[in-house]
Amino acid sequence: MIIRAALSVGLLLLSSLPPSLAVKRGDFKTCDQSGFCRRNRGLSTRASEHSTEWRSPYFVQTVDSSSGTWKGEVKNALFPEVKYELEIRVLRDGTVRVLLDEKDGLKQRYNETSRWALVEEPLLMLEGGVQFGEKENESKIWFGRHSMVRVQHNPLKVEFFRDGQPHVVLNEGGLFNMEHFRVKSQNAAEEVEEKEEQEEGTGEGVGVKVKGFVNQNEEKEKVVLQKPQKINVPGSVDYPHFLPEDENGMWEESFGGKTDSKPKGPESLSMDITFLGYEHVYGIPEHASPLSLRTTKGGDNAYTDPYRLFNLDVFEYEADSEMALYGAVPFMKAHRPSSTVGVLWLNGAETWVDIEKGETGKAVKDSWKAGKFKHGGPEDRTTKTHWMSESGILDLFVFLGPSNEDIFTSYARLTGTTALPQYFAIGHHQCRWNYLSQEDVLEVSRKFDEFDIPMDVIWLDIEYAEEHKYFVWNKRSFPDPEKMQEGLAERGRKLVAIVDPHIKKTNDLYVYTEAQQHDVLVKDKDGKEFQGWCWTGDSAWVDYFNPKSFDWWASLFKFDKFKGSTKNLFIWNDMNEPSVFNGPEITFPRDVVHHGGWENRDVHNINGMVYHNLTSQALIQREDTPKRPFVLSRSFFAGSQRYGAIWTGDNMGYWSHLAHAPAMILANSIAGINFIGADVGGFFGDPSPELLVRWYQMGAFHPFFRAHAHIDTKRREPYLFDEPIRSHIRDAVRLRYSLLPTWYSAFFEANNLGFPIARPQYVVFPDDKDGFAVDDQYFIGSSGLLVKPVTQEGATETSVYLAGVDPYYNYFTNDIFYGPGRIDFPAPLDTVPLFQRGGSILSRRDTIRRSAPLMWKDPLTLVVAIDRDNSSARGQFYMDDGESYNNEQGQFVWRHFNFGPDTDNKSNLLFHNTDGGGIPGTSRSLQKGVAVYDPDYNNEYAKAMRVVTVDTIEVLGLPSKPKCLKLSGRDQPVHFEYLDGFSSYAGPKKSGVGRRASKLIIKDLKASISEEWRIEFVMYGEACQVPPALPDRQTALQSPLCPPNHFRCANTGHIPACILTSRVDDGLCDPECCDGSDERDGKVSCPNRCQEVGAEHRKKLEEENRKFRVGGKVRGDYIKFGQKEKETLQGTIDALQASLSTLEVKEKKAKAELDRLEAESASESKRKMESKLYKRLQEHQTAIATLRQQKADLETDLAELSSILNDLSRDFNPNYQDMAVLGATRAFTEWKESRAAQSGEEGIEIEGDEDEDSNDATKFSDDDLDAIEKEDLLELIDSLSPSSETPKPAPGEPSGLMATIDGWKTSVFNILELAGVISQDESSSSPDTSERPEVAKARKRHSDAQAELEKAKREIEDKKKEVEKNFGREWEFKKLDGTCLEKDTGEYTYDVCLFQEAHQKSNKGHGSTSLGKFSSWSTGGESPSSDEYYMKQVYSKGARCWNGPERSVKIDLVCGTQNALLSVVEPNKCEYLYKVSTPAVCWPRADAEETRQKEEL
């Protein structure tokens, strides 16, 4: 019974474990499980079902427009005593703000969202710009040139007109509903006792009770259940079906075992917003769904639930889903040809949005036909949306466009533009949960350099912090963080460390104690400090809405407070939805309380943005001279773009997630979240090499470019892959770096004007209906670059949509393509489809450095792609110092490039580099800088940039070769080359793969980027003498003594070195060039350190040689020992071989005698064995054997289950955010302890059944059962025959004595056999005492001879296997066989007994785990005859990790004078790397002089 019970518990526990790689939808609400959404969506359903009699009860009672804004008192006919105030404000730029709040209500609705989301309170349109008119049942508000708002009084409806046409309508469907505050009725709810019922077979939880935690799928034993109350309101007969049938969910509701107390009762808000004549709507991120939002009520491929806006930590989220994710921006745009409108629903509470599409009404189409504006007419389809928020006021902004740019600008004026980041931040970021140590971080940086892969930032996840106590370094792994950051800075790199919002609740953490002292922690509904569970274990959360937290939080980032931080350290804010592992829906309970008494339900979606804001401000304040911060956040809201970068959260390394990434990036971008990216490679899983290449090719075109991976994934830094995968990834990264000037200019445009960086087709081509739903390709700013990532496995070509009439040039080959329409484009694995649109000019740098800031002085290349008319192209370039706020004072370089006909000479063409200053844009911070910008006056940065030149210009699509090129200010013509090809107006018939455009290449231009100049293209007349080209930089630096692309440092006094040419003149003193010859342009002065470096090198070399000499002597002793052992084994084998023939003859003789005697007694035995009794006894023995095997199987299952749960208990961390798993581990621990208490010893004891009915039953031991199973059946049969009654000889008689002795011998042999000391053949394992004595004796003689022979054979085989073991070429490793070494790392002690097994032992008493047994030497393909082969060992098939592979160890052996385990790391989950020193690998080596000479060579 105990065995069965234990197995049942174990299986139940295992059933609660999270399914692999799939979101747990049951952890998150659907609309039907959310009371307010269910009520308000039900409103929509009832409106559809009763459309003919449906009428909104809300109406305008009084109107006042005397204050310059329109105000109306609104009432609800169902509750006439409740009053609302509706206010309509026209803002200065033509945006309309609609505010509606309960007036003189029982409580104040939350009304502070705008305080956090908006830059400032928006300015109203100037007096005289707005006019009001009233007539029966309606008010009108005119503003601008052709805009109007019409308010219908009863029933309430608000319409927005532009150009005489209605575009947006509020409450057209009568779904507006603001649940007023009310007094809870006496019988609204009752408290009841309810017994929990065990949930079985669902796979979603098993109701395991754990002290302090409740399973997400478990109800508390005592809960407050809703008692639905029938709602009966006077007047409801006039508005049938408007009210819900009962109060279910209004005053309290439960989900996942958590109860929301709802102390304020119902307070939700609902409004339908109709976009008349608009089929496509976009925005409301964040969702993993298409850019053009799908319907949620009817239609093809419709979602069944509304889009949800509620910031959540959705573990392993689905691709293609309406589920809420990490951020919420309640901004929606509607677009049709020549017209764009939008709305911002400024509400920080949970919000659901239904989308429905239907036919556009005839009246709408007629109003357009009757108007004087004949462009931008309504489409045949209209989109109806229904917005539902849990609390708060109505604060709605309506944008009337008409263009995308108009709306982007207006939206940016409200919520702010994207903060201009530091230059390094737009480079390549390398992240992993987690880099293991200081050495690991610096080694990763070194490896990126070794393989020439640019990278700007290395990231540290939560393991850098001691016990996940942010701000406190783990000194074991990061003993000197300042030195680590200095090491990165020496290579031009930065470090980012994570700081999450949860704080470990422990008095030895100063952050927690200070937060208590300042009283800035979030409170629960009872006013006590809220406590939840996250990475730190028991945690508290700072209330960032509390003004007292502002300065205190900033102080934590001061260098003297955040010990180990430097100005080179930047911050990552994760888990800030916030994520609370044991909270409802893995977040805050809605009734926790923030500053001002507001509940989390009111401010939930704003919380992450406020945290992001305060961290950004903290980095600004930590230095006396502020620098731009870099802070990455996972959670966001409208306005988050002002504070830093965002990423799309914990995606997966699947093709489906790769395919949905572009749409997510675009949806965020059009909602202002520009600095956005997805985790390259996918956070979860191990992508195939092909998939990883495609991820990098896409990620290189995300505004935020970061590779990141989960702790359970295999290491996937690009340099770890074989060719050609490594080169494909490197090419993608280097492409990003070459285009950094274009990217930074796009960021400037987003910062200055609010335009998106990643731009969808409908934004660039607003009249092209075929592109309105395209979301798998996009443009980069206004650069003209179009990228189409490849997202299908195995694809070698892809379909690209080309809009407009201008040509598109393949970025890499200059092949020319034309639209409009789709083309099939070749896309093998080394290709990312990238095009430059005709009419654009982009900038790039062809010298690729190891990090972005090192490239600022390198020359520029401009690429001019001529439009179809063969007449023009334009572009821009922006650059500043990349870190300070001096750009806000006009300290930057901003240039405009124009190419087109020369106005002075129409037959010639002209390229013109002009000043880019002009009218200030949307950004408040940049307005002054743009206004005062002057490239020549009081602009120190522009002066410094004069040394930066445009060296090369490429012009694509010229109709013919120019006769001469002349640069203004120079007498000598400009050198150029011309490659003939198709012109820009060749047309579709002359375009396609292999149809290359003409290409003109201007070289050696060396024209300053910060000064104005012109190049005249003389197209006719006499050709001028073109000067010869100068050697390019690469050729000038290449040394014939080095590999390609390498420069040679002579390093006199030390050893010459070859470094990449990209390291020359990069502003860093390369350590490999101790003579300083790598820096020649004056950026930095590098001293000659070769004498001291050479001396230090020789000292280290001598020490290394000494170590090899001493270790070599010990190795010689090991060789002697091994040879002696091998000789001894061989001698034993030879002796045993010699005795085999004698033993074989002896065995054959005994067998022959036994065969003779057995033949004589065979007939009698056969008769007995054919009896019924014999067969029945056989069945009983078989039954016993079967039952014993079942028992053994149960014991094995229980042992295996115990091992699994032991591993789970030891290895589990809250990473999986699944409290059922935590419950399983704790329940198992309690069960194991109770079993140990019952048995009186540690561990789990397996017992037999103990039913009451069997208390008096005979107990059979394993030996008893074994004896019964093996009992001789013939003897039992003989015992029933008459002869069996014959008295047996007495023990003292000779025959009796022999029988007794034989019995003793038989018993001894049986015991030895059971103990595994000897083995007997099945035929002789149970002596047949019924056979004749002479047969028994013969059988015994044969058995003995056979056993002796088998023993000799086994000994020979064992000795041969020992000799055949690979203990090295000279058996020098035999001495190490069984040598045990160990290393204490703090939490664990690791050991290895060489050639046997490795272990991980918990220092907290949690037992020991096998990491694997010795399986082989090196698996890297080295030859067994090489030294390298014997410098690596592999131990495999260790205990399986929780949710991971079997553990294994790779051991790197290094020369040392002693055997020692030097270090242990876990580069991949459950794959350990040991470094062991031993004299056994101190191979003979050349003397120091030979070594030095070889190094020089």
Side-chain angles (χ1 to χ4, degrees), residues 235-502:
S236 59
V237 294
D238 298 325
Y239 301 92
H241 318 295
F242 190 88
L243 294 175
E245 293 185 356
D246 54 50
E247 294 183 343
N248 186 19
M250 287 187 177
W251 296 98
E252 188 174 79
E253 63 180 315
S254 296
F255 177 77
K258 309 294 190 299
T259 298
D260 178 5
S261 64
K262 295 193 175 181
K264 295 183 290 183
E267 53 175 320
S268 72
L269 168 66
S270 162
M271 175 70 83
D272 59 291
I273 304 175
T274 304
F275 298 99
L276 296 170
Y278 291 86
E279 180 177 358
H280 294 274
V281 290
Y282 310 92
I284 58 170
E286 180 176 46
H287 302 94
S289 61
L291 176 65
S292 179
L293 297 171
R294 287 185 181 167
T295 61
T296 60
K297 300 187 80 173
D300 296 336
N301 298 318
Y303 295 129
T304 56
D305 243 21
Y307 283 94
R308 190 184 188 194
L309 294 170
F310 189 62
N311 294 352
L312 289 171
D313 182 357
V314 183
F315 186 71
E316 296 171 340
Y317 63 82
E318 294 177 357
D320 196 1
S321 170
E322 81 294 345
M323 289 179 68
L325 289 178
Y326 309 94
V329 182
F331 171 72
M332 179 180 284
K333 291 176 72 222
H335 182 78
R336 68 191 190 205
S338 300
S339 183
T340 303
V341 294
V343 295
L344 172 61
W345 177 274
L346 203 58
N347 189 300
E350 177 187 4
T351 299
W352 301 75
V353 184
D354 257 327
I355 297 176
E356 190 174 5
K357 297 184 181 181
E359 296 297 322
T360 301
K362 183 175 183 297
V364 175
K365 294 181 178 179
D366 289 345
S367 70
W368 173 72
K369 293 176 182 177
K372 60 181 179 180
F373 300 97
K374 298 302 180 184
H375 62 279
E379 295 177 304
D380 293 334
R381 305 281 287 173
T382 281
T383 300
K384 301 177 181 180
T385 65
H386 183 197
W387 300 66
M388 300 161 278
S389 293
E390 184 174 17
S391 68
I393 67 170
L394 174 66
D395 191 355
L396 180 73
F397 293 85
V398 180
F399 307 96
L400 293 175
S403 70
N404 284 298
E405 290 74 16
D406 291 329
I407 291 183
F408 291 139
T409 300
S410 296
Y411 178 74
R413 284 197 185 100
L414 291 173
T415 64
T417 63
T418 298
L420 189 63
Q422 288 204 33
Y423 198 63
F424 79 83
I426 68 171
H428 174 212
H429 299 245
Q430 180 62 41
C431 184
R432 176 175 183 79
W433 178 23
N434 203 87
Y435 286 115
L436 307 171
S437 65
Q438 191 165 317
E439 294 76 16
D440 192 14
V441 168
L442 295 176
E443 176 65 7
V444 170
S445 177
R446 189 190 68 79
K447 283 289 188 180
F448 270 88
D449 285 349
E450 178 183 337
F451 289 91
D452 197 21
I453 305 171
M455 184 260 292
D456 267 89
V457 193
I458 292 184
W459 292 56
L460 292 178
D461 213 312
I462 58 176
E463 310 305 331
Y464 85 92
E466 178 186 284
E467 297 178 354
H468 302 157
K469 295 183 289 191
Y470 310 111
F471 300 101
V472 180
W473 294 86
N474 180 342
K475 289 298 184 181
R476 278 188 171 272
S477 302
F478 300 92
D480 193 348
E482 294 99 330
K483 184 176 180 181
M484 174 178 62
Q485 292 165 67
E486 290 169 3
L488 292 174
E490 289 171 358
R491 296 175 180 267
R493 296 195 170 112
K494 315 291 183 185
L495 182 72
V496 167
I498 197 168
V499 176
D500 288 345
H502 48 270

Side-chain angles (χ1 to χ4, degrees), residues 841 843 860 862 864 873-878 893-900 910-917 933 935-936 945-946 948-951 953 967-968 1005-1017:
I841 301 175
S843 52
L860 291 158
L862 305 180
V864 180
R874 55 188 171 274
Q876 66 174 334
F877 170 83
Y878 173 87
V893 169
W894 185 13
R895 311 303 299 177
H896 283 176
F897 307 128
N898 291 282
F899 179 86
L910 187 70
F911 182 94
H912 198 177
N913 171 19
T914 64
D915 170 24
Y933 169 69
D936 301 315
M945 281 288 288
R946 288 174 184 169
V948 178
T949 60
V950 175
D951 279 11
I953 297 178
L967 176 64
S968 58
L1005 189 62
K1006 300 196 183 305
S1008 174
I1009 186 61
S1010 61
E1011 297 176 348
E1012 183 173 351
W1013 42 264
R1014 299 152 43 112
I1015 301 176
E1016 184 181 4
F1017 288 63

Side-chain angles (χ1 to χ4, degrees), residues 541-593:
W541 276 259
V542 174
D543 182 3
Y544 297 103
F545 294 94
N546 189 333
K548 290 191 293 184
S549 72
F550 298 173
D551 291 338
W552 170 75
W553 185 252
S555 74
L556 296 178
F557 292 86
K558 296 288 188 180
F559 299 130
D560 59 349
K561 194 77 170 283
F562 189 174
K563 303 294 185 182
S565 68
T566 72
K567 63 180 182 180
N568 212 44
L569 178 70
F570 297 87
I571 301 300
W572 172 14
N573 285 165
D574 196 0
M575 314 298 286
N576 55 329
E577 294 76 25
S579 180
V580 183
F581 292 164
N582 62 329
E585 300 193 88
I586 317 178
T587 190
F588 271 163
R590 293 160 197 257
D591 52 10
V592 303
V593 181

